[in-house]
Amino acid sequence: MTKQPLSQSLSQSLMNRSRVRDEILADRRVLEKVVAAVHAQVPVYAALDDSRLPEVRAIAAWGVDRMLHLWAADGTLEPSDLRRLRGIAAARAADGRPVQAVLRAYRVAATVLTDEVAARAADLTAGDGLALARVLLTALDTLSEEMATAYAATSEDLAGDRDRALRLLLDDLIAGRHASAGALTARSARLGVRLPDPYCLLVAEPTTEGGADMSYEAAAGLLAALGDGGTSPSALSTVRGSRAVLLLPATAVHRAPPALDERAWRACAITGEDLDRVAVAHRLAADALDTAPAHAHRSGRLLTDADAHVLALLTGHPAAAPDHIAHLVLGPLTEPGRRHLLQALTAYIDAGSATAAARALHLHPQSLRYRLRRIHALTSRDPRDPWQRLTLDVARTIGV
């Protein structure tokens, strides 16, 4: 039996690889399998918010297409591939995503891709399998080197400009790019800071509409005004468009109203989210400032978690369950021993005046007004204020 010429055998092998490549690229489910596997198996990627997934999908699509092309053509990485890998590595280093997690994500993706090739391997040979392994291992080895170089360069860059490094840390937190508590702790330690926990995320903006972008200096000035003499933990500031974003110890929130009034700024302060949910806190605060009516902003008062969640509910984007919103707004009024205060609030809102509410509850008007003052003291919400009355009304409606 005559052996097939080597050149003919290789040609047939490349044709078979090309067929498998085309089948995989035509199957849209493969890319989704890669993204789903990375999302499920790598904790850092599992915690990324939805805004980051399109980037993960785009990189995965490029990687699958490029690896299959090199395999089908029996090719090697080119300078353009190296530039692309270098750019990805630099971006991940700037994101603060741990290098180990990034490399694991690529290994997970390579495993999925290998399984997809194996499922279509009827006409493939052991040599084809070895060629695929060589392409993937070479890419992973190259990526590892580029990652190490990029992370080292980024660390040196950040160390050389500490103010910028601290802004980037907060930028990454509010963008949801830090999903690993260990990586966040390590990065904070390198910068010599300890993040406040519990914290307040304060998003502030001028009351005038259509203003220019916020300056880093103005944001830092507000941070200094709310400081506590430089004691730990560290506070951070950055900007987002026309808004200042500050990460502060939760106790600093009480110093914010006068500093904001002095600047003619308004703000929303979120204090009820965990440190791994700074991105959620930022979205809540930013959306609250986007949607709150003018009468919700009063001198000497901030929008809070309760306002933000009520606004999210009213705009059809609830970030919390109704009973949690009711607890945020009503607080102690939900306790059994204070049900009489909740009854007074309900009567006042329904009747529209203290006199009519007192009549409905068979109380003296002064007794009803005393209960309204107690409600104000316990919830920090004045039932006579239109916006605060609305939040109380929403909370007692969905919570009762």
Side-chain angles (χ1 to χ4, degrees):
M1 183 175 178
T2 304
K3 290 186 177 181
Q4 190 178 34
L6 183 60
S7 60
Q8 184 178 346
S9 176
L10 179 58
S11 177
Q12 183 61 47
S13 181
L14 295 182
M15 288 177 60
N16 292 337
R17 294 182 202 177
S18 296
R19 174 189 60 78
V20 173
R21 177 201 61 194
D22 293 343
E23 288 182 9
I24 291 176
L25 294 180
D27 188 349
R28 296 183 178 179
R29 295 172 299 175
V30 173
L31 178 59
E32 295 308 316
K33 286 181 182 179
V34 171
V35 174
V38 170
H39 194 258
Q41 297 181 39
V42 187
V44 167
Y45 287 79
L48 291 179
D49 61 37
D50 292 342
S51 67
R52 306 298 300 176
L53 290 182
E55 180 190 36
V56 174
R57 186 174 287 104
I59 293 174
W62 173 80
V64 168
D65 180 87
R66 192 62 186 140
M67 293 304 101
L68 288 175
H69 174 80
L70 293 175
W71 173 60
D74 206 28
T76 58
L77 292 171
E78 299 176 356
S80 60
D81 298 316
L82 297 179
R83 287 193 296 272
R84 183 69 178 265
L85 291 173
R86 195 171 297 122
I88 293 172
R92 296 293 72 79
D95 285 349
R97 223 170 292 174
V99 62
Q100 297 89 347
V102 176
L103 292 175
R104 184 183 175 193
Y106 280 89
R107 290 195 298 270
V108 168
T111 300
V112 174
L113 183 57
T114 301
D115 290 342
E116 291 298 322
V117 171
R120 299 166 174 81
D123 298 325
L124 299 180
T125 66
D128 295 322
L130 291 173
L132 177 63
R134 184 167 53 251
V135 167
L136 295 176
L137 288 174
T138 299
L140 288 172
D141 184 54
T142 303
L143 182 64
S144 297
E145 292 185 6
E146 296 297 341
M147 282 284 176
T149 302
Y151 273 67
T154 299
S155 296
E156 292 177 3
D157 181 47
L158 294 181
D161 187 345
R162 191 170 185 274
D163 288 341
R164 176 173 172 267
L166 294 175
R167 290 199 302 269
L168 288 174
L169 174 58
L170 183 52
D171 286 339
D172 288 343
L173 284 170
I174 64 180
R177 290 191 284 260
H178 264 297
S180 165
L184 177 57
T185 300
R187 183 175 178 184
S188 301
R190 288 197 303 271
L191 293 172
V193 298
R194 179 168 64 87
L195 297 179
D197 189 14
Y199 70 90
C200 162
L201 189 80
L202 183 76
V203 181
E205 65 181 6
T207 56
T208 54
E209 298 294 336
D213 283 352
M214 178 72 63
S215 68
Y216 288 115
E217 291 75 16
L222 178 60
L223 185 69
L226 301 182
D228 54 2
T231 61
S232 294
S234 301
L236 307 175
S237 68
T238 188
V239 301
R240 277 293 185 275
S242 61
R243 292 169 176 165
V245 182
L246 279 60
L247 185 73
L248 306 157
T251 53
V253 68
H254 303 295
R255 297 192 290 272
L260 293 165
D261 287 346
E262 180 182 344
R263 292 164 172 76
W265 288 6
R266 59 193 176 199
C268 180
I270 304 296
T271 57
E273 298 294 336
D274 293 335
L275 194 55
D276 61 351
R277 288 169 57 85
V278 174
V280 174
H282 178 256
R283 286 199 300 273
L284 275 170
D287 289 348
L289 290 176
D290 286 340
T291 57
H295 66 273
H297 302 282
R298 291 185 61 188
S299 177
R301 188 177 185 279
L302 302 170
L303 296 181
T304 65
D305 300 64
D307 298 292
H309 281 289
V310 168
L311 285 162
L313 181 71
L314 293 176
T315 55
H317 300 92
D323 58 342
H324 181 59
I325 296 175
H327 177 73
L328 281 173
V329 178
L330 299 175
L333 300 190
T334 59
E335 299 172 3
R338 295 194 171 103
R339 300 298 291 182
H340 64 293
L341 295 179
L342 189 57
Q343 291 174 347
L345 174 65
T346 297
Y348 176 73
I349 292 174
D350 291 344
S353 72
T355 301
R359 188 181 309 116
L361 294 177
H362 306 291
L363 293 172
H364 190 280
Q366 288 291 31
S367 296
L368 195 287
R369 293 188 180 93
Y370 170 77
R371 294 186 183 185
L372 294 180
R373 290 194 295 272
R374 287 290 296 149
I375 291 169
H376 187 188
L378 291 169
T379 67
S380 298
R381 292 180 182 274
D382 186 350
R384 298 167 300 175
D385 178 272
W387 170 251
Q388 295 178 47
R389 181 168 61 248
L390 174 62
T391 61
L392 291 166
D393 190 10
V394 170
R396 63 103 185 187
T397 300
I398 65 175
V400 177

